[in-house]
Amino acid sequence: MKVCIIAVGSELLLGQIVNTNAQYISRVLNEAGHHVLEHIVVGDNPERLARVTERALAQYDAVIYTGGLGPTKDDLTKQTVAQILGKELVMDEAALNYIESYFAAQDRIMTPNNKQQALVIEGSHVLANRVGMAPGMYVVHEETHVVMLPGPPSEMRPMVDNELMPYFMQSDQTIFSEVLRFCGIGESQVETELLDLIEAQTNPTIAPLAGKHEVTIRLTASGKDTATCQTLIAPIKAEILSRVGHYYYGSDNITPEQAVMNAQHASFAVYDAVTDGLLNARLKQADRHQTLKGYMLHHDSFLQADLSVEDNLRIAAMFVQSLYETQQAVSLLAMDRTVYVGFLNDDHFEMTTFKMATERNLMRDRSQNYVLIEWLDWLKRQQVSK
């Protein structure tokens, strides 16, 4: 289905809150094979809401509203939509009982305007709100699917997952996605490498997305069951990794540091002259087996000016390896827009480099994922050489 999401609330237009609801709904619907084509934000104004509603109903297969279902005067979403659909608002007794019991349990007086939250459009399927008070609604009007959801994300998200999505899933179809995660490569390079695959995509679909210092590729397939979807995804995934697999660190919810620590079986220590300890914090959080034995921050007095960068890098790695009595060590130095990474396994040393911005904060932040992807590649090569 072609979908439009309308977020209602002047606080969105004033910049007081961010429209994370549209982001969440878009992701869930796209994973289910639907196409969100437009986001609209409108203030608490019934005339403007009516205008965008009439246009959206004429253009889309589904129109989803968030916000404006509460008890106050500016909560006018369902009143406005009901008028356009030519339907009445009726009291949902289950929702009213829930609201009344909530106030009773809190030993609070329920003001009359709270009853407004239990009003629903006649003939609609009521979407239970198991977190807050205002229920959602799902109604089909002249073949257009119309949905109203509460504005608070803590109420909207479980309602989408548990109450709404059964109406948006085809009973004979399964949607399955795998998210491939890459770092050390930009979105434009990924698209260039995969452009022919992206242009020829059918089932599965291929959706690159740039994140903070990383790129993801969401592969989404539809089929009779999950196994069928995974079979459809497998050859496309293999082809993608044959082209940009060097930068791949895992799928779905894994982080670069988790990928490294999952592959890092030997004890190790780190000498860091690049990230100011930020890399250490990430590694420690992912270090389930306590293989990270020590972490030393850089001091200029440690460098020997008469030695090459590679020699200084080797000495730094050997120093922390000896100090913390580890099998392996990683050392980081930066000079002239270049980050140098040293890997030491017992007495075997390797060095790799990459270019990075000279601005200190950018180098400190962006270089972390570049280091981690090179580290993961080194660990893979260590396994192959065994």
Side-chain angles (χ1 to χ4, degrees):
M1 286 192 290
K2 297 177 181 179
V3 182
C4 173
I5 299 172
I6 301 176
V8 183
S10 298
E11 64 273 18
L12 292 163
L13 295 175
L14 294 171
Q16 295 172 344
I17 61 172
V18 178
N19 187 14
T20 59
N21 285 348
Q23 177 191 35
Y24 186 83
I25 297 168
S26 293
R27 180 174 63 80
V28 172
L29 289 180
N30 277 284
E31 288 176 355
H34 302 290
H35 305 285
V36 177
L37 301 183
E38 187 173 7
H39 289 177
I40 298 173
V41 178
V42 61
D44 299 310
N45 182 288
E47 289 78 19
R48 286 194 288 271
L49 178 57
R51 286 199 298 271
V52 299
T53 292
E54 289 170 350
R55 179 175 69 82
L57 290 173
Q59 288 184 246
Y60 297 102
D61 304 312
V63 181
I64 299 177
Y65 301 83
T66 65
L69 303 184
T72 61
K73 280 190 174 182
D74 59 359
D75 290 311
L76 296 171
T77 299
K78 57 191 170 187
Q79 291 87 342
T80 304
V81 175
Q83 185 175 3
I84 291 173
L85 300 184
K87 293 181 177 292
E88 299 292 327
L89 290 175
V90 297
M91 188 66 65
D92 182 72
E93 293 300 327
L96 180 60
N97 291 338
Y98 180 83
I99 294 170
E100 290 176 338
S101 64
Y102 172 84
F103 279 94
Q106 299 291 319
D107 196 23
R108 293 167 53 193
I109 297 174
M110 183 177 124
T111 56
N113 61 345
N114 277 287
K115 289 186 177 182
Q116 175 178 309
Q117 297 186 90
L119 291 173
V120 299
I121 293 177
E122 63 175 337
S124 64
H125 299 275
V126 178
L127 308 178
N129 189 337
R130 306 186 191 281
V131 179
M133 283 185 268
M137 284 152 274
Y138 168 80
V139 62
V140 179
H141 174 72
E142 298 178 355
E143 299 186 352
T144 300
H145 302 258
V146 180
V147 179
M148 276 155 278
L149 301 168
S154 61
E155 300 177 29
M156 183 279 302
R157 293 184 180 191
M159 188 178 290
V160 167
D161 294 340
N162 303 319
E163 309 295 333
L164 176 63
M165 286 313 295
Y167 293 105
F168 276 72
M169 294 296 293
Q170 299 181 31
S171 59
D172 61 345
Q173 185 181 50
T174 295
I175 305 295
F176 178 83
S177 293
E178 181 177 354
V179 179
L180 311 183
R181 298 190 173 276
F182 304 82
C183 58
I185 186 173
E187 183 185 22
S188 59
Q189 184 179 349
V190 167
E191 183 174 289
T192 299
E193 296 288 346
L194 306 179
L195 187 59
D196 60 316
L197 299 179
I198 295 171
E199 290 180 341
Q201 64 179 305
T202 53
N203 184 21
T205 59
I206 305 171
L209 178 66
K212 185 177 181 181
H213 311 321
E214 71 169 0
V215 176
T216 62
I217 299 175
R218 182 181 298 276
L219 303 178
T220 302
S222 60
K224 65 179 182 179
D225 51 35
T226 298
T228 300
C229 295
Q230 290 173 325
T231 300
L232 291 168
I233 286 173
I236 299 297
K237 176 183 177 181
E239 180 61 27
I240 290 172
L241 295 185
S242 73
R243 303 186 189 188
V244 291
H246 172 75
Y247 306 98
Y248 171 74
Y249 66 83
S251 292
D252 298 323
N253 295 321
I254 196 169
T255 63
E257 58 268 29
Q258 287 171 338
V260 167
M261 296 309 292
N262 289 345
Q264 180 68 56
H265 303 303
S267 61
F268 72 100
V270 178
Y271 182 91
D272 181 4
V274 178
T275 79
D276 292 341
L278 294 178
L279 185 60
N280 178 46
R282 294 174 64 177
L283 293 171
K284 290 294 288 185
Q285 191 170 16
D287 187 15
R288 295 178 298 168
H289 303 293
Q290 287 75 54
T291 50
L292 174 56
K293 301 302 181 182
Y295 200 99
M296 177 176 286
L297 292 177
H298 171 68
H299 192 279
D300 287 339
S301 62
F302 191 85
L303 291 178
Q304 299 182 42
D306 58 334
L307 296 181
S308 67
V309 175
E310 183 173 358
D311 286 339
N312 274 307
L313 201 65
R314 181 187 291 107
I315 291 170
M318 293 173 61
F319 182 82
V320 293
Q321 180 192 49
S322 175
L323 178 65
Y324 296 107
E325 299 179 342
T326 62
Q327 179 183 333
Q328 297 176 347
V330 178
S331 51
L332 313 177
L333 294 173
M335 189 175 297
D336 299 329
R337 297 183 63 248
T338 301
V339 175
Y340 299 83
V341 187
F343 300 106
L344 181 64
N345 183 31
D346 292 326
D347 59 355
H348 179 70
F349 179 79
E350 295 181 29
M351 182 184 76
T352 188
T353 66
F354 55 85
K355 295 291 185 180
M356 189 55 59
T358 55
E359 202 277 316
R360 179 62 187 169
N361 289 336
L362 279 177
M363 178 174 287
R364 182 190 63 187
D365 294 337
R366 293 188 62 198
S367 63
Q368 295 173 52
N369 278 2
Y370 283 77
V371 169
L372 289 167
I373 202 67
E374 295 297 338
W375 191 339
L376 186 60
D377 183 62
W378 177 72
L379 290 170
K380 291 176 181 176
R381 287 187 277 109
Q382 296 297 306
Q383 291 296 319
V384 171
S385 64
K386 286 185 177 180

